């Protein structure tokens, strides 16, 4: 019995009306953007402010820095970061800031929340952007690597990242701290 092909190849003579299943939205109405109330917000063109350094709440207590309060409800932050982690599968451009935000899951501060929301506003600029695998007769493997020595303000550890392309298609990437900040 060939059920799948029978329906795909059959002729249709009636008009068919369909609705999106519950939980799905039309293209351009990203679950994420509208759930945060950023439907009318202006998009940003950079992921993080230039030279922005994040510190943990523990580091702030140790150095007696005030003014950046710990979030009272961490579940909203956890949910947002979880959704951004899922998005990194097709949006490697947001991988580094998302990985950075994951380091503050125990005690996220208002600055971490604001920076994560900025990433969503960056996504709003081009919500349909993702990984494109191109077709090419060329066989070339390209590797890029970068490191930032002692960039973590908490531990002074280095941050490294790499990406590997086959022809014009991204096939592997990673951005990480040598040891988490």
């Amino acid at each position: 019995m060939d059920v799948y092909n029978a329906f795909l190849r059959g002729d249709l003579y009636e008009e068919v009306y369909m609705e999106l299943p519950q939980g799905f939205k039309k293209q351009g109405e990203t679950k994420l953007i509208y759930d945060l109330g950023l439907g009318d917000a202006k998009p940003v063109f950079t992921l993080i402010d230039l030279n922005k350094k994040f510190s943990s709440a523990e580091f702030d207590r140790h150095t007696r820095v005030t003014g950046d309060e710990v979030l009272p409800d961490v579940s909203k932050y956890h949910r947002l970061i979880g959704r951004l982690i899922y998005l990194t599968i097709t949006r490697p451009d947001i991988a580094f800031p998302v990985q950075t935000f994951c380091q503050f899951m125990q005690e996220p501060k208002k600055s971490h929340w604001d920076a994560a929301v900025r990433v969503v506003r960056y996504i709003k600029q081009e919500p349909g952007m993702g990984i494109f695998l191109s077709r090419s007769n060329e066989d070339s493997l390209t590797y890029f690597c970068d490191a930032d020595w002692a960039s973590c303000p908490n531990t002074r550890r280095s941050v490294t990242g790499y990406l590997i392309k086959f022809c014009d298609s991204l096939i592997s990437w990673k951005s990480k701290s040598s040891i988490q900040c």
Side-chain angles (χ1 to χ4, degrees):
M1 187 167 165
D2 194 11
V3 175
Y4 295 110
N5 288 335
F7 289 109
L8 289 177
R9 300 192 193 291
D11 293 328
L12 187 63
Y13 299 105
E14 304 88 25
E15 288 187 29
V16 177
Y17 298 96
M18 298 175 61
E19 293 181 12
L20 288 172
Q22 184 178 3
F24 289 87
K25 296 184 180 181
K26 295 177 185 173
Q27 182 148 358
E29 293 181 5
T30 308
K31 292 175 193 172
L32 184 59
I33 293 169
Y34 287 92
D35 286 351
L36 288 174
L38 299 174
D40 294 330
K42 291 184 180 180
V44 295
F45 298 97
T46 57
L47 283 166
I48 299 177
D49 289 331
L50 187 63
N51 296 323
K52 179 74 172 171
K53 301 290 185 188
F54 297 103
S55 62
S56 66
E58 180 182 354
F59 181 81
D60 287 354
R61 284 190 294 272
H62 181 70
T63 58
R64 294 188 173 103
V65 173
T66 59
D68 192 9
E69 301 301 319
V70 175
L71 294 176
D73 181 17
V74 298
S75 62
K76 286 175 52 178
Y77 182 80
H78 290 177
R79 184 162 191 248
L80 173 59
I81 300 306
R83 294 170 91 182
L84 289 174
I85 289 170
Y86 182 76
L87 228 99
T88 61
I89 295 169
T90 58
R91 294 289 300 257
D93 56 330
I94 66 168
F96 180 76
V98 171
Q99 174 260 314
T100 302
F101 304 145
C102 288
Q103 297 175 8
F104 305 105
M105 295 294 271
Q106 287 182 325
E107 284 187 288
K109 301 185 306 183
K110 185 171 180 342
S111 62
H112 304 142
W113 173 262
D114 293 341
V117 169
R118 182 181 177 93
V119 170
V120 176
R121 289 178 56 207
Y122 171 81
I123 292 166
K124 185 179 179 189
Q125 171 190 332
E126 290 188 57
M129 188 171 84
I131 295 176
F132 176 71
L133 300 177
S134 65
R135 188 173 163 187
S136 174
N137 293 333
E138 181 183 329
D139 291 336
S140 66
L141 192 64
T142 310
Y143 181 88
F144 298 96
C145 182
D146 192 15
D148 189 2
W149 182 257
S151 67
C152 178
N154 298 330
T155 62
R156 306 308 294 165
R157 306 247 183 216
S158 63
V159 177
T160 59
Y162 68 85
L163 69 89
I164 302 172
K165 292 172 66 176
F166 181 70
C167 301
D168 289 331
S169 301
L170 179 68
I171 58 171
S172 181
W173 58 271
K174 186 75 171 178
S175 66
K176 67 173 190 162
S177 304
S178 58
I179 296 179
Q180 286 192 350
C181 293

